[in-house]
Amino acid sequence: MTETNGSCCAGPGYASPEEAIKAPREKVVYTICIYTGTGIEKPDYLATIDVDEDSPTYGEVIHRTEMPVIGDELHHMGWNACSSCNTDGSMERKYLIIPGVRTTNFYIVDTATDPRKPTLFKTIDGEEIKAKTNLSAPHTVHCLGADIIVSMLGDADGNGPGGFLHLDKEFNIIGRWENDLGDMKYNYDFWYQPRHNMMISTEWGSPNTFMPGFDLEDVARGKYGQHVHFWDFENRKVEQSIDLGPEGMIPLEARFHHNPDSTHGFVGAALASNIFHYHKDNGKIEINKIIDVPTVDVEGFPVPMPSLITDILVSMDDKYLYFSNWLHGDLRQYDISDPANPKLTGQVWIGGLLGKAPEVNGRTVDGAPQMIQLSLDGKRLYVTTSLFSTWDNQFYPSMKDKGGIMLIVDCDNENGGMTIRDNFIVDFNNEPHGPARAHETRYPGGDCSSDIWI
């Protein structure tokens, strides 16, 4: 699946973000589907979805690549190679690396031989990873030139702080990537900006805390994170940890600008429902809250309801920030041309607990916008509704029996604005083995959370 990028370079991906924006439009997308926690005793799988508007199977699941065991809880995935390998003609964006957060198994799926029917190429046993690295619960996967690093949320017994797994390009376990975790208590997402020797990592909680479900008392007990960590990337050690305080409770997704010369980026604090902006333009890290989504009083909810910002992303041209509010049920677009002063330019409602859009495109929404993935040209935002099986069952129990959905939100990338496409909905209630949850989505040629430039 080496994309024809029109650049001078022989490797995968694109020579620059500007070249990535010109990429051919996607024909299929890949989405993780989950039976873990539904009561259906079947393996999780990777769904191939036809998104070619001229195809007779447009909007349908056209293939399912099942994993070999039950109960992985496939969560996030990444490519074996991205634009960081653009000058390396020996590399190819061929394999999706799909870990199971509950089993620590890694599945390497070949998407290049037949993009419409991916096949399982290799399995890395989770017990082998635990034995060799004392790490478990994989989350974010980034390629790092020819190597791969993965944030791991716990030790072999499910306790914090976790660390980072290092694989080579043949998917052999090298060991732990980091040299020094500093004061890191928990782990979650990470992103790096090599030209500035910067990496940021965030904090959720230990697997033993979040896997059974969310308990408000665990927040008071300090079992969820509120720090972000800036790394000396070359020396693989935490250089500075910053306590975001109560306004930064549970910082999850982190995104740098795609421009490799920029030091600017954003972090979404899920429970506090704030967006922070950081940069190092003045020689030191500066980080400030720039967006605050207010809580809402909802009858029967034990506390003022936070919006719960669970996913964020930045468009490839670095002009727009998108994020999902999983409890409130809205999806937002902000113009971040001035990254310290964002302007709300678009908002749509999909499900949620505020009752703003209980039905979309003729289907009751069991859940709310959660994972989002934007096309390289910034025009098509794919949205799915599942967060994590035990949390789904807690906040949206009907998803267990009716499954998740996928929608496309069309984005105006010139003037701002968002519209839910009315002729597209993938209803995972109709899957052959029964209703499935839908989680992260990837585009075969790269998307706005795949590629990093070195």
Side-chain angles (χ1 to χ4, degrees):
M1 194 175 299
T2 301
E3 53 268 28
T4 304
N5 55 39
S7 74
C8 62
C9 306
Y14 310 93
S16 66
E18 292 77 15
E19 290 297 319
I21 290 169
K22 301 173 188 173
R25 184 169 174 159
E26 69 282 359
K27 300 288 188 183
V28 299
V29 296
Y30 303 120
T31 298
I32 282 172
C33 290
I34 304 153
Y35 279 127
T36 303
T38 64
I40 296 172
E41 294 298 305
K42 293 290 182 181
D44 300 340
Y45 57 97
L46 182 71
T48 306
I49 296 166
D50 188 339
V51 296
D52 180 355
E53 293 182 63
D54 297 324
S55 168
T57 53
Y58 169 66
E60 296 181 13
V61 179
I62 57 173
H63 184 73
R64 299 164 184 84
T65 309
E66 281 194 350
M67 301 305 121
V69 303
I70 295 170
D72 284 309
E73 183 128 18
L74 305 180
H75 198 56
H76 287 204
M77 53 186 167
W79 293 103
N80 68 308
C82 75
S83 291
S84 64
C85 307
N86 187 243
T87 59
D88 185 350
S90 70
M91 296 297 293
E92 183 181 6
R93 196 197 308 259
K94 180 176 181 180
Y95 299 107
L96 271 175
I97 301 157
I98 312 177
V101 70
R102 291 187 183 272
T103 59
T104 313
N105 293 331
F106 278 60
Y107 303 107
I108 314 301
V109 173
D110 175 359
T111 65
T113 302
D114 186 346
R116 296 174 72 87
K117 296 180 179 178
T119 54
L120 181 61
F121 170 72
K122 180 178 180 177
T123 299
I124 310 172
D125 184 77
E127 295 305 316
E128 181 184 359
I129 292 171
K130 291 177 185 177
K132 290 184 174 177
T133 67
N134 190 31
L135 292 170
S136 70
H139 191 269
T140 302
V141 178
H142 278 304
C143 99
L144 178 63
D147 286 356
I148 295 147
I149 52 177
V150 184
S151 60
M152 307 289 286
L153 307 192
D155 66 16
D157 296 320
N159 301 307
F164 293 85
L165 173 68
H166 190 182
L167 304 174
D168 68 16
K169 65 180 180 181
E170 305 298 332
F171 312 110
N172 298 305
I173 301 168
I174 295 177
R176 295 181 71 134
W177 173 82
E178 81 280 358
N179 290 323
D180 187 352
L181 291 169
D183 295 328
M184 197 173 94
K185 292 177 64 178
Y186 306 110
N187 202 8
Y188 186 69
D189 193 27
F190 74 105
W191 193 289
Y192 59 95
Q193 196 70 309
R195 292 186 190 178
H196 295 282
N197 191 28
M198 293 177 71
M199 183 174 109
I200 183 173
S201 66
T202 59
E203 295 188 337
W204 188 8
S206 71
N208 288 338
T209 297
F210 67 75
M211 281 197 179
F214 179 72
D215 183 345
L216 193 58
E217 295 297 320
D218 284 339
V219 178
R221 296 185 188 111
K223 292 188 173 182
Y224 283 101
Q226 60 183 43
H227 291 74
V228 292
H229 309 280
F230 291 93
W231 291 67
D232 175 341
F233 183 61
E234 291 178 0
N235 292 308
R236 307 181 183 186
K237 63 180 184 180
V238 173
E239 195 169 50
Q240 184 179 0
S241 295
I242 297 177
D243 185 351
L244 299 176
E247 293 196 318
M249 283 302 305
I250 311 185
L252 293 183
E253 307 296 337
R255 305 282 183 258
F256 267 102
H257 270 168
H258 298 284
N259 175 1
D261 292 323
S262 172
T263 68
H264 290 254
F266 304 87
V267 173
L271 188 61
S273 304
N274 294 318
I275 299 288
F276 288 80
H277 162 237
Y278 60 83
H279 67 88
K280 198 178 179 182
D281 285 357
N282 301 316
K284 62 178 183 179
I285 300 291
E286 296 179 28
I287 184 165
N288 295 291
K289 185 184 74 172
I290 55 166
I291 299 171
D292 183 341
V293 182
T295 58
V296 176
D297 290 325
V298 175
E299 185 176 356
F301 205 76
V303 295
M305 184 187 288
S307 71
L308 209 73
I309 298 172
T310 49
D311 196 12
I312 72 171
L313 64 79
V314 175
S315 61
M316 189 55 69
D317 61 3
D318 293 330
K319 183 177 179 181
Y320 291 105
L321 172 73
Y322 294 86
F323 65 84
S324 52
N325 292 310
W326 192 62
L327 292 184
H328 287 186
D330 61 319
L331 186 62
R332 299 188 180 196
Q333 176 199 56
Y334 284 80
D335 185 328
I336 52 168
S337 300
D338 178 355
N341 295 287
K343 298 175 181 176
L344 181 64
T345 48
Q347 185 178 29
V348 294
W349 293 88
I350 300 168
L353 296 177
L354 299 184
K356 297 286 186 73
E359 185 176 292
V360 176
N361 289 354
R363 205 277 208 187
T364 300
V365 181
D366 304 282
Q370 206 288 101
M371 292 308 294
I372 52 178
Q373 194 54 272
L374 185 65
S375 57
L376 291 167
D377 63 8
K379 295 181 178 179
R380 294 167 301 285
L381 187 70
Y382 288 78
V383 184
T384 52
T385 49
S386 169
L387 174 61
F388 190 68
S389 63
T390 43
W391 294 41
D392 290 344
N393 291 344
Q394 195 170 354
F395 293 99
Y396 294 104
S398 61
M399 194 191 303
K400 180 173 177 288
D401 299 318
K402 296 181 180 177
I405 60 172
M406 171 188 277
L407 299 167
I408 295 176
V409 174
D410 290 308
C411 303
D412 185 334
N413 63 347
E414 294 184 2
N415 304 307
M418 309 165 73
T419 306
I420 299 171
R421 189 177 295 184
D422 60 11
N423 71 347
F424 182 96
I425 182 169
V426 182
D427 187 345
F428 293 93
N429 184 38
N430 302 324
E431 290 295 275
H433 294 310
R437 310 173 197 276
H439 198 67
E440 191 184 46
T441 299
R442 289 278 176 210
Y443 295 65
D447 45 59
C448 287
S449 60
S450 289
D451 286 46
I452 291 175
W453 282 267
I454 59 178

